[in-house]
Amino acid sequence: MHLFFSVGEPSGDQHTAHLIEEIRNRCPEARFSAFGGPEMQEAGCHLEVRLTDYAVMGILNVLPLIFKFIQLIKQVGQYLESERPDAVVLVDFPGFNWWVAKKAKALGIPVFYYLPPQLWAWAPWRIRRVRKNVDYILSGLKFEKQWYESRGVKVDYIGHPFFDEVVSKTLDQNVLSELAQSQKKTVGILPGSRTSELTRNFPVMLQVVRQLSELFPDATFPVACYRQAHFELCQNLIQEEQATDLPIQLYLNKTSEIIEAADCCLMVSGSVSLELLARKTPAVVLYRSHWGMYFLAHLLITCKYMSLPNLIADQELMPEFPSVGSPEKDVAKISAIFNDWLSTPLSLERARTKLTSLYNETVIPGASAQAAKSIVSHIQPETQQKSAA
């Protein structure tokens, strides 16, 4: 059995690495190739292209890479035609993966979409592409399964792998001890996994940190950096924003430890919100954009919230701030929420209790195993027929 994966996001790289391990448990002779990321490679997947290096959001960030993406689309088409894998598994990254699905479907290769694009959130007319080029959706969200099913798409609900990864991950006890040692109030800063997100959001986060550090001189603000380049970018932004006096410490690849140790977090909107839910850590959600993207979002977005816990709960458990233009008002409002949480333990506990209730009501364990089971069960009969032929 040969499976080809197309994965462009860092979080998708992590989820797919676990999925590969689960498929190998069921099919030890399976072969895996991909346009993917380093964690998949560590799990034994052969990388044709390190696609996660091109993870960007927004049309203005995509445009400089457009010729590279055209080249990659041509390359993936040639690879599928020459190798003819038994199935293609797409993970998020719809701008690129729609083309991969189209190429695979034209060659008669079954297409799975694991953790599919959030069509229910914006531009729902894209469902036509799913019906035409995707055979099975593997959905991590219960309401998402219902949305796709009601539109005539085959869906298996497998739960979200983020929750399994939280349970199974071994945390760095030295970092946890370091964060807990001071016994001070701790506000985790999560500036995003994309460079463009970090560049837009981290300077505003520093403004919030400055206000909070004046209100709570003993508070500490650990910053989660996804990779070395982000660590260095944060260092540069701290210098540029004249924030070297703030009680900030940068950590590389210690997001889980920061979330676990923090009293609460300030985060950029993204899938990391599910880890905050799993660890029951209250958070405020920020997402900075430019005016063009802001107006486009108002035209296209069809859901009430931008963070997944709020969408699952259908209420704002994590206060959200889609921010554009001058950030002063948003900084003041965000600081006021943290002021309430840090000065009134009962307020913080209420926020934590709401997250705990949502987690207990909605989380289903074993998502990676369920996804592996679904993929294998759908394609094994076909591979057996190929072998017999």
Side-chain angles (χ1 to χ4, degrees):
M1 183 188 298
H2 176 199
L3 301 180
F4 176 83
F5 297 88
S6 180
V7 183
E9 300 287 349
S11 58
D13 178 30
Q14 181 183 28
H15 300 325
T16 308
H18 291 289
L19 175 59
I20 287 168
E21 290 166 359
E22 290 289 347
I23 293 173
R24 185 179 287 110
N25 288 341
R26 288 161 174 77
C27 305
E29 302 303 317
R31 180 162 69 95
F32 307 99
S33 61
F35 281 28
E39 294 197 40
M40 295 166 62
Q41 190 170 27
E42 286 180 18
C45 180
H46 173 72
L47 283 195
E48 291 292 321
V49 171
R50 187 158 155 161
L51 190 60
T52 53
D53 288 347
Y54 304 100
V56 292
M57 279 191 73
I59 187 66
L60 294 181
N61 294 316
V62 171
L63 284 175
L65 294 171
I66 193 70
F67 292 109
K68 181 62 181 177
F69 280 122
I70 291 170
Q71 179 187 346
L72 290 171
I73 289 164
K74 183 178 179 181
Q75 187 176 343
V76 77
Q78 291 170 342
Y79 181 83
L80 294 177
E81 190 165 359
S82 64
E83 292 293 323
R84 298 280 176 157
D86 295 298
V88 166
V89 182
L90 313 174
V91 183
D92 205 353
F93 213 54
F96 181 80
N97 277 339
W98 293 133
W99 293 97
V100 181
K102 185 176 181 180
K103 298 272 185 185
K105 195 67 176 177
L107 294 168
I109 301 169
V111 177
F112 295 81
Y113 219 130
Y114 182 43
L115 305 177
Q118 297 167 353
L119 305 191
W120 39 265
W122 70 283
W125 58 83
R126 294 176 295 167
I127 191 68
R128 294 193 294 268
R129 295 177 180 174
V130 176
R131 290 198 195 102
K132 186 175 181 180
N133 295 316
V134 177
D135 295 288
Y136 301 99
I137 293 287
L138 305 178
S139 171
L141 304 167
K142 192 172 288 186
F143 73 86
E144 181 180 68
K145 176 183 187 292
Q146 296 165 349
W147 189 92
Y148 273 108
E149 276 186 335
S150 68
R151 287 156 179 80
V153 177
K154 294 178 181 176
V155 188
D156 287 343
Y157 172 54
I158 46 90
H160 206 289
F162 237 119
F163 300 120
D164 293 336
E165 288 157 19
V166 169
V167 172
S168 64
K169 183 165 186 176
T170 302
L171 298 179
D172 187 329
Q173 294 302 315
N174 291 330
V175 172
L176 289 177
S177 298
E178 183 181 317
L179 290 168
Q181 209 167 31
S182 63
Q183 297 184 334
K184 297 176 181 178
K185 299 180 188 299
T186 302
V187 180
I189 307 297
L190 315 176
S193 62
R194 299 184 183 91
T195 302
S196 58
E197 290 175 340
L198 195 153
T199 304
R200 286 196 306 267
N201 289 276
F202 191 56
V204 178
M205 291 174 149
L206 291 175
Q207 293 182 42
V208 175
V209 171
R210 184 166 295 284
Q211 291 200 9
L212 292 178
S213 63
E214 291 172 0
L215 293 167
F216 303 93
D218 290 336
T220 59
F221 302 87
V223 179
C225 302
Y226 174 70
R227 58 188 183 208
Q228 182 63 37
H230 292 173
F231 189 97
E232 294 166 5
L233 179 55
C234 282
Q235 286 180 319
N236 293 336
L237 289 170
I238 289 169
Q239 293 281 348
E240 289 174 14
E241 300 295 322
Q242 299 181 340
T244 53
D245 60 317
L246 295 178
I248 285 173
Q249 186 169 357
L250 305 181
Y251 288 86
L252 181 61
N253 291 327
K254 300 299 177 186
T255 302
S256 297
E257 287 79 3
I258 289 173
I259 294 172
E260 181 70 21
D263 296 294
C264 47
C265 289
L266 174 58
M267 62 163 287
V268 169
S269 178
S271 54
V272 74
S273 64
L274 292 177
E275 182 162 2
L276 286 149
L277 171 59
R279 297 190 186 279
K280 294 89 172 178
T281 303
V284 176
V285 184
L286 172 68
Y287 200 88
R288 293 278 297 166
S289 65
H290 51 77
W291 282 108
M293 187 175 176
Y294 182 81
F295 286 123
L296 189 64
H298 272 270
L299 289 172
L300 298 177
I301 289 176
T302 58
C303 60
K304 290 189 288 185
Y305 305 108
M306 62 181 175
S307 53
L308 286 169
N310 291 347
L311 285 163
I312 295 168
D314 197 28
Q315 59 178 301
E316 194 176 67
L317 301 185
M318 296 179 176
E320 295 184 348
F321 292 88
S323 178
V324 67
S326 176
E328 278 74 16
K329 288 184 179 179
D330 292 326
V331 169
K333 290 176 183 177
I334 291 169
S335 299
I337 293 169
F338 281 113
N339 184 16
D340 179 45
W341 282 352
L342 296 176
S343 61
T344 312
L346 186 58
S347 292
L348 187 61
E349 190 54 36
R350 283 198 199 101
R352 192 181 299 277
T353 299
K354 288 178 181 178
L355 292 176
T356 302
S357 297
L358 179 63
Y359 179 86
N360 292 337
E361 289 168 6
T362 61
V363 171
I364 295 175
S368 298
Q370 286 296 323
K373 180 181 177 182
S374 177
I375 292 170
V376 171
S377 67
H378 285 306
I379 67 173
Q380 257 190 344
E382 295 184 25
T383 56
Q384 287 169 354
Q385 285 175 10
K386 279 186 184 179
S387 299

